[in-house]
Amino acid sequence: MILVILKDIATLCSISGVLAIILVIAHRFLNDYGIVKININGKKDINVKGGNSLLSSLADNKIFIPSACGGRGTCGACKCGITKGGGPLLPTERPLLTKEELITNTRLACQVKVKSDIYINIPENIFNIRKFNSKIVEIIDYTYDIKGVTFKLDAGEKIDFKAGQYIQLITQPYAKMRQSVSRAYSISSKPEEDDRIQLIIRYVPEGICTTWVHQQLKVGDEVSFTGPYGDFFLRDTDADILFVAGGSGKAPIKSILDHLQVVGTQRRMTYFFGARSKKDLYLTEEMKAFESVFEYFRYEPVLSQPKAEDNWDGKTGYVMPFLKETIRDPQNTEAYLCGSPGMIDAVSKALIAAGIAKDKIYFDSFG
Amino acid sequence: MKASPKEIKIMQKMQPGTITLSGFLGNDKRTLNEIIEDDFRLLNALEFTPEEIADRMQYFTDKSWNAFTDEVLIDDIYQVETEVVRGKLPCPFGHVGIYRKAITKFTNTRKNISLSWTSLNIHLIRAHGFFEGKGSSFRLEPAELVNAIFDR
Ligand SMILES: Cc1cc2nc3c(=O)[nH]c(=O)nc-3n(C[C@H](O)[C@H](O)[C@H](O)COP(=O)(O)OP(=O)(O)OC[C@H]3O[C@@H](n4cnc5c(N)ncnc54)[C@H](O)[C@@H]3O)c2cc1C
Ligand code: FES
Ligand SMILES: [Zn+2]
């Protein structure tokens, strides 16, 4: 009897074993798209192994499409035009695309799978985006939850970026994290210092990347990033400038000011920095020092809830009420904003009400 | 109970380091559906629906949103602040939607109860009746949550 049962089990096992092998082979076969072609801007073909996302297929070929969320389909930064191929639009793409983008066949490169030949259009400046390896050379505690971290590029490497742009920091596995993620951070150092970059990173409780930066990274550690990305940079005009920032939003503005100090400017500039209380202020002396560097520059920290012990005699409340009085000519004023999405909304509304054209208000739009 | 293949797929996305640092399940040994069903029974006993709770949480988050990172006193009792970080998170249920990295810190000053939730928590409760697993940093105990956000 036992022998019969064992024989039956053995037969079943061999049948399921054969079935499993067939399934594995079928899976391999069905997911083997072979080598497929990506045609870029009608000018250049690259051959890739089919089946991966357009974003990662391009990255494997050192073409880095912006991706503020690291390819999770949540930021919309990886939009690119597809003229042929790419398969049908996916439900994950729809929420991030405008009506116009839907009509013009704009897609999210991180969601599109390259299963057959595909023809894409991407801006030429994307070819300037590269992957960099670096070593941490300095970590400064700016506040209780904000650190300035400087990354020195490998010997001989240089990064060519515009003041105000951002990079994508790539984390390494740590603690329970078994995979890498990438997150966007604005560069806070000036483009003239092209063998290194500084980032200003604010700790987010239970945040994957910021916990890694704040609790794991130390001077001497090797870190990779890609970049530069973004079109938040100073426009080359002679218009008056309003900078408005909060929290870690100081980073790109610092880069722009450091750059202007090198190249010189006659532009009239006012910089409002919104914070809650004195413990959230940082780099105040450095920003104030620009008042004696530039012809016309004013740095105005504004505290919304100063504490009694702060002995604060500066501006209080939110920055919005102070904007109008600093605008000389709304037709000839540009605003550069960096901070939380709520702050950007409120400040944009106040600026538009003060007569500044919407297209003269600049900020990173994937907040 | 054994988890279904669909449930297993979602539970994989809820593991530490996939969408969030510590995941969504904490040290809970129950399956996803068991967690949701147990909390649903608790809610029934409390006579609240997930939508009512999510609406109330959204009310506080929206009211404090305009104050940026400042603390605001809402309806004379509730001290609330919402901090928004640039960037967004997806829903682990594979639902089409993305949620702000926004943390609302909430205190019912009369009952002296403090809680925190994120925009994703509001969505998880509204759309999936999911309050996260026990031991998760963002687990919201339905009874404590109801007691804190409703004045009764
Ligand atoms: C263009 C751009 C430029 C940027 N520049 C800067 C900069 O210069 N400096 C800077 O500091 N930041 C910057 N950011 C933000 C940055 O990219 C990250 O989003 C931020 O640092 C948080 O990343 P993280 O990996 O630590 O958090 P993540 O892990 O991505 O998310 C953390 C969020 O998840 C929530 N969460 C965690 N676990 C759970 C759970 N179980 N249930 C519910 N919710 C949960 C947390 O509350 C928190 O809100 C920029 C963003 C963009 C788009
Ligand atoms: S990389 Fe963020 S949506 Fe594609
Ligand atoms: Zn969902």
Side-chain angles (χ1 to χ4, degrees):
Chain A
M1 179 66 175
I2 288 176
L3 265 182
V4 175
I5 293 173
L6 283 176
K7 209 175 134 200
D8 285 351
I9 290 174
T11 315
L12 271 176
C13 284
S14 56
I15 292 173
S16 53
V18 171
L19 276 176
I21 292 167
I22 292 172
L23 273 176
V24 169
I25 294 170
H27 188 258
R28 276 275 164 84
F29 182 74
L30 288 174
N31 287 319
D32 184 5
Y33 301 98
I35 300 295
V36 294
K37 178 178 83 179
I38 304 178
N39 175 279
I40 304 166
N41 297 348
K43 290 181 190 161
K44 182 182 170 175
D45 287 338
I46 54 172
N47 292 321
V48 301
K49 191 176 163 293
N52 298 317
S53 76
L54 177 58
L55 186 75
S56 64
S57 304
L58 289 170
D60 288 344
N61 283 277
K62 299 194 168 27
I63 299 170
F64 300 99
I65 303 264
S67 65
C69 69
R72 290 201 308 194
T74 61
C75 69
C78 64
K79 287 174 188 174
C80 77
I82 296 192
T83 44
K84 205 167 135 195
L89 185 79
L90 300 172
T92 42
E93 297 176 77
R94 200 174 284 274
L96 287 162
L97 297 169
T98 62
K99 265 190 201 149
E100 220 178 306
E101 286 167 342
L102 288 170
I103 297 166
T104 53
N105 208 26
T106 301
R107 303 283 302 269
L108 298 186
C110 69
Q111 301 299 303
V112 171
K113 288 264 184 299
V114 188
K115 296 179 181 169
S116 57
D117 291 356
I118 182 168
Y119 292 71
I120 65 169
N121 277 330
I122 51 178
E124 291 291 329
N125 61 12
I126 281 181
F127 300 111
N128 182 36
I129 300 170
R130 289 170 45 210
K131 184 171 180 184
F132 294 92
N133 297 320
S134 70
K135 203 172 251 180
I136 296 183
V137 288
E138 186 179 53
I139 301 180
I140 306 171
D141 281 313
Y142 281 139
T143 72
Y144 61 100
D145 68 349
I146 295 182
K147 283 186 194 291
V149 187
T150 305
F151 303 80
K152 175 140 183 0
L153 308 185
D154 278 358
E157 284 281 14
K158 289 189 185 321
I159 179 166
D160 175 16
F161 67 96
K162 290 190 180 125
Q165 286 192 297
Y166 71 91
I167 56 93
Q168 289 271 128
L169 196 60
I170 303 167
T171 69
Q172 286 146 18
Y174 73 97
K176 292 174 193 161
M177 291 294 307
R178 268 179 242 126
Q179 63 206 29
S180 296
V181 299
S182 46
R183 295 283 185 273
Y185 295 96
S186 305
I187 304 171
S188 56
S189 48
K190 54 180 178 257
E192 289 74 15
E193 238 168 27
D194 57 4
D195 67 340
R196 66 194 60 211
I197 58 161
Q198 193 213 35
L199 306 177
I200 294 179
I201 300 183
R202 176 136 188 249
Y203 176 64
V204 177
E206 287 289 315
I208 293 176
C209 185
T210 56
T211 303
W212 179 65
V213 170
H214 277 247
Q215 294 175 9
Q216 306 277 324
L217 287 188
K218 47 191 193 315
V219 169
D221 284 352
E222 289 178 7
V223 178
S224 303
F225 61 86
T226 59
Y229 300 104
D231 42 31
F232 181 73
F233 50 79
L234 192 69
R235 280 13 184 210
D236 189 15
T237 68
D238 61 0
D240 290 353
I241 301 174
L242 263 175
F243 296 113
V244 185
S248 65
K250 189 164 249 166
I253 316 284
K254 176 180 172 294
S255 176
I256 292 174
L257 291 170
D258 283 346
H259 166 67
L260 287 176
Q261 181 171 15
V262 176
V263 298
T265 185
Q266 300 298 312
R267 293 173 73 171
R268 186 187 165 98
M269 301 182 280
T270 314
Y271 179 1
F272 288 100
F273 182 72
R276 190 158 154 177
S277 67
K278 222 169 178 175
K279 75 179 194 336
D280 301 302
L281 291 180
Y282 62 104
L283 287 170
T284 307
E285 296 307 314
E286 287 81 346
M287 295 301 118
K288 273 271 171 209
F290 284 121
E291 291 182 349
S292 48
V293 168
F294 300 116
E295 184 97 1
Y296 185 93
F297 176 83
R298 234 162 16 101
Y299 179 61
E300 295 280 8
V302 185
L303 295 187
S304 56
Q305 290 186 342
K307 296 200 168 85
E309 66 265 28
D310 287 348
N311 293 319
W312 181 248
D313 56 6
K315 290 190 161 56
T316 54
Y318 296 134
V319 298
M320 287 80 80
F322 302 108
L323 298 174
K324 198 165 179 192
E325 67 199 42
T326 60
I327 300 170
R328 280 194 307 186
D329 172 10
Q331 306 292 323
N332 192 37
T333 301
E334 290 167 0
Y336 295 85
L337 322 180
C338 195
S340 73
M343 184 278 266
I344 290 188
D345 273 1
V347 170
S348 297
K349 276 188 195 133
L351 291 172
I352 291 167
I356 298 190
K358 210 172 160 190
D359 62 358
K360 294 279 161 42
I361 302 172
Y362 305 103
F363 52 86
D364 271 317
S365 50
F366 340 101
Chain B
M1 219 202 299
K2 250 187 92 193
S4 66
K6 191 175 163 207
E7 232 180 311
I8 291 172
K9 219 170 155 191
I10 300 170
M11 286 171 78
Q12 276 164 357
K13 286 200 194 156
M14 291 186 169
Q15 293 307 308
T18 307
I19 291 179
T20 58
L21 183 61
S22 309
F24 297 83
L25 297 167
N27 49 17
D28 211 315
K29 293 279 171 281
R30 295 172 294 172
T31 66
L32 179 59
N33 281 349
E34 284 166 348
I35 297 174
I36 293 173
E37 280 163 20
D38 289 349
D39 283 339
F40 191 71
R41 272 192 289 276
L42 279 173
L43 280 191
N44 260 344
L46 294 163
E47 297 179 345
F48 277 99
T49 64
E51 291 78 20
E52 283 166 329
I53 294 180
D55 282 349
R56 185 80 173 151
M57 291 163 81
Q58 192 68 56
Y59 164 77
F60 292 119
T61 295
D62 286 351
K63 280 219 152 182
S64 59
W65 171 271
N66 293 335
F68 315 128
T69 57
D70 282 355
E71 210 169 64
V72 285
L73 189 67
I74 300 172
D75 305 337
D76 300 331
I77 301 174
Y78 310 103
Q79 228 161 40
V80 191
E81 60 180 271
T82 293
E83 171 128 26
V84 189
V85 179
R86 283 175 287 162
K88 288 172 188 143
L89 294 169
C91 164
F93 286 81
H95 188 262
V96 177
I98 42 176
Y99 304 91
R100 283 204 179 286
K101 296 179 188 175
I103 308 181
T104 299
K105 291 182 190 153
F106 169 97
T107 302
N108 180 325
T109 57
R110 212 160 48 82
K111 296 181 183 169
N112 205 10
I113 312 172
S114 292
L115 300 167
S116 298
W117 62 73
T118 70
S119 297
L120 188 53
N121 280 122
I122 302 180
H123 166 75
L124 292 174
I125 293 174
R126 183 191 307 284
H128 310 284
F130 180 55
F131 293 76
E132 305 207 8
K134 288 205 190 277
S136 162
S137 330
F138 288 87
R139 160 83 182 163
L140 290 159
E141 283 301 335
E144 195 192 4
L145 179 59
V146 162
N147 187 27
I149 62 178
F150 292 99
D151 187 33
R152 54 169 214 184

